[in-house]
Amino acid sequence: MRSVFSLLFLCLSFLATPAMALFGNNAATPSFATDNNRFVPVDEAFPFNHFQQGNRVFLDWQVKQDYYLYQERISVSAENVSLGDLTMRNGEPYHDEFFGDVHIYTEPLFVEVPLEQYQTGARLIVQYQGCAKAGFCYPPETRVIDVEPFATSTSEAVNNTVNAEPAAQTATQTQSSAPQSQESSLAGKLADNWWTPLLFLALGVGLAFTPCVLPMYPILTSIVLGSGKLSHRRALSLSFIYVQGMALTYTLLGLVVASAGMQFQAAMQHPYVLIGLSVMFVALALSMFGVYTLQLPASVQTWLSGLSNKQQGGSNAGVFAMGAISGLVCSPCTTAPLSGALLYVAQSGDLLTGAVALYALALGMGIPLMLAAVFGNKLLPKAGGWMDRVKILFGFVLLAAPIFLLERILPEAWAITLWSALGIVAFGWLYHVKNSLTFGGWKQSMVGIIAVLGLVTSVQPLYSTWINPPAQEHQTSIEFIKVTTVAELEQQLSAAKQAGKPVMLDYYADWCVACKEFEKYTFHTPNVEAKLQDFVLLQADVTKNQLQDIELLQRLNVLGLPTIEFWDASGKHVVNARITGFMDAPSFIDHLNSHQL
């Protein structure tokens, strides 16, 4: 218990230094104030910050309340460096007495500026203008940013000749014909609409039926129902406390990932962590079976029994702790709604709004869990000898949690073997239990049928995997090129640009369940393979979370897995085509077509 709360305090310590503190302040411009001092200086109305990460510069305006920036008055020009398309959200429509129908920003604005073809003396010239809603406008502001040297790809180096003249290029935001990515759209809605957390609540309910959340069902049902018959009020109370622990951890972890990168999340998927937590769940399951070995030291038996009794007795603190652990390790995959909330936090630094959205998302995920616990309790028999059998039954259910965890690090064949073994033992026990029921009664017949069907279903994967594996019907026609460093990625992007081919980059990790689903159900289906024939397919395996893996994640500001990036045939990064979360083959093909890839 102490270690769980220590982990939560560790999350809080991370949040004390949000990522936006990394922004470097420009030299302040001279103060501007009116005679009656009704309006603040321009640097207080629109605090401007920037920082550079590789070949990208990030600009940030924190807009003061009752002030606004004009979208049409924001421009970025460059000297001795080329610019790509700016990434910035649309402003809200506004009728201005000075400029007519315009678009404005009343919330913090975050702009990403891609850079190419660096030359000595490179710098950016940023211009912007804003007003106060009370009717006062500031003069246009100009900020000059010195660009630090960054790695230049091979193809760009060829284009930089010795006699190249310093060039000035002005870049304004261009609206792409391709649709905006779902996570970017959600991030924009968070900034523009106060009611968006309600949307995240609804999205969370939908996510409750995905593989990201399924591991939580056996844990919750075992904790809440494993002790036997509970009142509806008590079952609802325990499940609500469990969901609060899950939601709190989910929210804190999300803010840590958005502020500090996904290294913390990846660390929690380390094999040592997964194995340790699996052992804990097995210990809890064994306590439900009542089979702790007599050879254990008395102190260990006392600790295990105490921990188990807390769970079985419905300890609020114990249930909350189990919810916190479940949220930490059972949902490592990224979805578009989660990415949208993380993207908003990373871009704006608004931890409060991001935390509300993340909490609403996690709470939505927990609502079906609570319903399963409450109404599952209604199906239990009346108090009696059945209670011991129910406890054993949910002990088997609880054993599913370690397999959910370990299948991220085990070969597929061994994961299938574990699932089959669990099914054989559980349904074999259920078949044995039917003998204690009234002979010839409908209950005995029903239990016997379920047990036999379960045994057949459990044995079939073992037979198909080890004894009679299916013949390989489809020969893979595509192959991914592994990239392990940023330099290798830049080299492959440069070669693809010279060859005039589009690029797909798949960020992969062994602990990412959805990444494996992409491999098994999407990438290698015949229709998708035919579509990907013309692509240069790259894959960055970041399982080990080494320094070079972290650099690859930071190269494109990846906040979670799965994430898939695209470049078109001209070498331009198609930002809005980013994929986060699993897509089946038809949806994936539609995505490629909609972005004209």
Side-chain angles (χ1 to χ4, degrees):
M1 183 68 67
R2 184 183 303 171
S3 62
V4 173
F5 286 106
S6 299
L7 181 59
L8 294 178
F9 282 120
L10 177 62
C11 292
L12 289 172
S13 68
F14 271 108
L15 298 179
T17 55
M20 300 311 295
L22 297 175
F23 289 115
N25 290 323
N26 266 350
T29 56
S31 297
F32 183 91
T34 61
D35 293 338
N36 57 9
N37 291 322
R38 287 181 55 201
F39 304 102
V40 300
V42 64
D43 285 340
E44 293 183 24
F46 316 108
F48 175 75
N49 303 283
H50 73 275
F51 75 97
Q52 181 178 349
Q53 186 176 33
N55 67 335
R56 296 179 182 274
V57 173
F58 300 91
L59 312 177
D60 170 69
W61 287 269
Q62 299 294 316
V63 183
K64 186 177 177 64
Q65 187 176 2
D66 296 328
Y67 291 77
Y68 59 86
L69 282 171
Y70 293 105
Q71 178 180 343
E72 289 78 6
R73 296 284 173 169
I74 297 176
S75 67
V76 182
S77 60
E79 295 180 359
N80 297 331
V81 67
S82 299
L83 300 182
D85 292 336
L86 272 63
T87 301
M88 57 189 290
R89 73 175 191 273
N90 283 328
E92 57 188 88
Y94 182 76
H95 182 76
D96 187 88
E97 61 178 315
F98 301 103
F99 301 109
D101 293 328
V102 294
H103 294 81
I104 63 171
Y105 299 104
T106 58
E107 300 289 341
L109 173 64
F110 189 87
V111 178
E112 179 180 343
V113 185
L115 306 176
E116 301 173 354
Q117 299 178 343
Y118 173 86
Q119 298 180 31
T120 303
R123 62 179 188 169
L124 300 180
I125 297 92
V126 181
Q127 294 180 314
Y128 58 94
Q129 184 178 10
C131 295
K133 291 182 178 179
F136 176 79
C137 277
Y138 295 88
E141 292 292 320
T142 301
R143 298 289 184 271
V144 178
I145 302 172
D146 293 326
V147 177
E148 299 176 359
F150 57 86
T152 303
S153 65
T154 304
S155 62
E156 292 170 351
V158 172
N159 294 329
N160 290 334
T161 60
V162 176
N163 297 324
E165 295 291 335
Q169 176 181 355
T170 301
T172 57
Q173 183 187 19
T174 59
Q175 297 300 322
S176 172
S177 59
Q180 191 178 27
S181 62
Q182 185 179 357
E183 59 271 17
S184 299
S185 174
L186 289 170
K189 287 182 179 180
L190 266 179
D192 298 333
N193 302 295
W194 63 267
W195 49 263
T196 308
L198 298 177
L199 172 62
F200 277 78
L201 180 69
L203 291 171
V205 174
L207 292 179
F209 303 98
T210 66
C212 299
V213 187
L214 287 177
M216 298 184 187
Y217 284 94
I219 300 174
L220 176 58
T221 53
S222 299
I223 292 172
V224 176
L225 307 181
S227 59
K229 192 74 174 178
L230 297 175
S231 66
H232 289 298
R233 179 179 297 180
R234 185 56 178 161
L236 177 62
S237 173
L238 288 178
S239 60
F240 180 78
I241 292 172
Y242 175 91
V243 170
Q244 294 309 300
M246 180 194 77
L248 177 62
T249 303
Y250 202 82
T251 302
L252 294 179
L253 180 58
L255 293 178
V256 170
V257 171
S259 300
M262 63 172 292
Q263 294 86 348
F264 183 79
Q265 181 189 18
M268 293 310 302
Q269 307 306 317
H270 192 281
Y272 292 153
V273 176
L274 297 178
I275 293 173
L277 290 168
S278 298
V279 170
M280 183 192 70
F281 284 121
V282 170
L284 290 173
L286 291 178
S287 70
M288 293 183 119
F289 299 144
V291 292
Y292 289 125
T293 59
L294 297 176
Q295 288 77 14
L296 285 174
S299 59
V300 176
Q301 290 188 45
T302 301
W303 178 79
L304 287 173
S305 298
L307 182 61
S308 172
N309 290 335
K310 284 183 179 181
Q311 303 308 318
Q312 295 172 21
S315 164
N316 293 342
V319 172
F320 182 88
M322 294 302 294
I325 294 174
S326 302
L328 192 65
V329 299
C330 287
S331 297
C333 53
T334 301
T335 60
L338 175 59
S339 295
L342 298 182
L343 183 62
Y344 173 80
V345 176
Q347 289 183 350
S348 69
D350 185 356
L351 295 181
L352 177 59
T353 304
V356 170
L358 286 166
Y359 177 81
L361 186 70
L363 190 61
M365 293 162 53
I367 290 175
L369 295 174
M370 295 167 58
L371 294 176
V374 173
F375 291 101
N377 181 53
K378 185 177 181 180
L379 301 176
L380 292 178
K382 297 180 180 180
W386 266 97
M387 290 301 96
D388 290 334
R389 300 188 184 100
V390 168
K391 191 168 113 176
I392 294 175
L393 174 63
F394 281 102
F396 286 118
V397 175
L398 189 58
L399 284 178
I403 304 179
F404 271 115
L405 297 176
L406 294 177
E407 69 177 349
R408 300 173 194 165
I409 58 177
L410 291 176
E412 182 180 7
W414 286 105
I416 292 175
T417 301
L418 286 177
W419 283 116
S420 294
L422 177 61
I424 291 171
V425 174
F427 287 109
W429 168 84
L430 189 62
Y431 186 84
H432 172 74
V433 165
K434 81 174 182 64
N435 295 329
S436 62
L437 300 174
T438 303
F439 181 77
W442 69 269
K443 291 183 179 179
Q444 186 188 53
S445 300
M446 182 64 67
V447 171
I449 292 173
I450 294 175
V452 170
L453 291 177
L455 284 169
V456 172
T457 303
S458 300
V459 171
Q460 194 274 333
L462 278 180
Y463 178 79
S464 300
T465 301
W466 296 105
I467 300 176
N468 187 28
Q472 188 71 24
E473 298 179 358
H474 173 66
Q475 297 296 326
T476 299
S477 61
I478 61 172
E479 184 175 352
F480 284 81
I481 301 172
K482 304 292 184 181
V483 291
T484 58
T485 64
V486 173
E488 290 181 5
L489 173 60
E490 297 291 351
Q491 182 180 4
Q492 292 294 337
L493 292 176
S494 174
K497 182 178 179 179
Q498 290 180 334
K501 289 188 172 185
V503 177
M504 185 182 83
L505 171 62
D506 172 37
Y507 281 95
Y508 171 88
D510 289 341
W511 48 262
C512 170
V513 176
C515 299
K516 296 180 178 180
E517 290 179 334
F518 265 115
E519 287 278 349
K520 185 173 182 179
Y521 301 116
T522 303
F523 291 154
H524 297 294
T525 59
N527 291 341
V528 173
E529 286 194 348
K531 198 74 174 175
L532 295 179
Q533 286 292 337
D534 295 330
F535 280 76
V536 174
L537 303 176
L538 308 178
Q539 188 175 74
D541 188 340
V542 296
T543 301
K544 296 181 179 179
N545 195 34
Q546 298 174 337
L547 179 60
Q548 60 190 25
D549 300 333
I550 296 173
E551 292 175 349
L552 278 169
L553 294 168
Q554 293 176 342
R555 169 65 174 79
L556 295 172
N557 196 28
V558 174
L559 298 176
L561 300 184
T563 294
I564 301 175
E565 300 282 355
F566 295 92
W567 288 258
D568 62 19
S570 65
K572 177 184 175 182
H573 182 205
V574 187
V575 178
N576 288 339
R578 168 182 281 193
I579 294 176
T580 54
F582 175 71
M583 278 187 180
D584 59 18
S587 300
F588 184 79
I589 292 175
D590 290 342
H591 180 82
L592 296 182
N593 292 335
S594 65
H595 290 275
Q596 300 178 357
L597 292 169

